[in-house]
Amino acid sequence: GIIPLQEETVEAAMKNKDFTERQIEIMEAATLRIDKFGIQELTIKNLASDLSLSEAALYRHFKSKNEILLGLLTYFILEMNERLAVIIEDKELQPSELLKKVFVSQLNTFVQKPAIVSVIFSEGIFQFNKELSDKVSTMMALMQKNISALITRGQNEGVYAKLLGPDTITTIIMGSMRMVVLKWKLSGNKSNLVNDGKNVLNGLLKMIEK
């Protein structure tokens, strides 16, 4: 089954999920701004202007821009955890089918919510903020555990070769998919992310299948 987030992380995330309506409105406005102008243009000043609020009024709901980004990531991780759990619980599908479904689901979410990709890929901003970098690490660890579990299952069932360990194969798959997402982002979201991702994953699976 799916490996759940560590208990304390889920509890912390659930606490963070208790956003007020106004906070959700602010996060939605932040998402729109990131979509249109990129994460660099997300400032409290710009956001207050978008919402016709004073900066002081906005600061009453979020202490900083980073707190808004933390909220967006928290929401995404909870949604992703629930979405992947549903896919991975299907015991009748082969590991390769499940891996394809996991990545198609993830890539479709990125197409629908391109702002979250901008947030996840903003290491330059995050490296000096432990809370934000920890949140992205939690997301990557969740993905890593789920994929690694499917690779392990495939190796145990004799579907995948055991030349490489599950963690190494998982890193290769995640790194390749990250490159596909990055190319899509750099193309101004013009390339076909889901198709490109499927093609790369199919190629990688051919390399590890017996």
Side-chain angles (χ1 to χ4, degrees), residues 119-145:
V119 177
I120 295 164
F121 276 67
S122 297
E123 291 98 334
I125 298 171
F126 291 176
Q127 66 194 42
F128 304 112
N129 184 296
K130 192 169 183 323
E131 270 190 309
L132 285 170
S133 54
D134 283 354
K135 193 63 83 172
V136 174
S137 295
T138 299
M139 192 184 81
M140 284 174 65
L142 176 63
M143 203 67 185
Q144 179 99 22
K145 279 180 177 176

Side-chain angles (χ1 to χ4, degrees), residues 2 23 39 42 57 60 65 83 93 121 137 140 176 186:
I2 191 161
Q23 283 178 315
I39 201 161
L42 179 68
R60 283 203 291 275
K65 172 177 112 169
R83 183 165 40 81
L93 291 179
F121 276 67
S137 295
M140 284 174 65
S176 303
L186 292 173

